[in-house]
Amino acid sequence: MTAGLETVNALRVGRFWMLVARIGWALLVLLTLALFVVAIPARFAQLLSITPAGDNALVLLSPEEAAQLQQHGISLSLYALYFIVLEAAFAAVYVLMG
């Protein structure tokens, strides 16, 4: 009789910690999404900036690259918006898969 009761108590404790873990996971996901959304305007402003040497890792443009975009009829705002949408799409895939 006591072995069955111990098993039931162990399951209750397991359920409690599972609930705590799920709530913690949900809070972590919400915090991450909130930080991502809050950072979008700063990232947009960063993409609009032109640096002397450019920065391929951050997708920042050099003056020559910005001039080439202008020659092709692509504004800096469209360029920045394109990368914001692309980064948001990647983030959405990771959130939905994860």
Side-chain angles (χ1 to χ4, degrees), residues 7-97:
T7 304
V8 170
N9 286 337
L11 287 175
R12 284 186 188 148
V13 171
R15 287 180 186 162
F16 171 75
W17 287 112
M18 182 61 78
L19 179 64
V20 169
R22 286 180 179 162
I23 291 171
W25 180 255
L27 289 174
L28 183 64
V29 168
L30 289 175
L31 177 63
T32 303
L33 288 175
L35 287 173
F36 181 80
V37 169
V38 169
I40 288 175
R43 179 65 174 147
F44 188 79
Q46 183 183 38
L47 288 168
L48 288 176
S49 65
I50 298 172
T51 59
D55 189 347
N56 289 334
L58 295 175
V59 198
L60 300 180
L61 296 174
S62 68
E64 295 82 18
E65 293 167 333
Q68 288 177 355
L69 282 177
Q70 295 293 332
Q71 288 173 354
H72 288 84
I74 300 171
S75 67
L76 286 178
S77 296
L78 181 60
Y79 170 81
L81 182 63
Y82 171 79
F83 276 100
I84 292 292
V85 169
L86 187 66
E87 291 169 0
F90 276 109
V93 168
Y94 281 105
V95 167
L96 293 175
M97 296 300 289

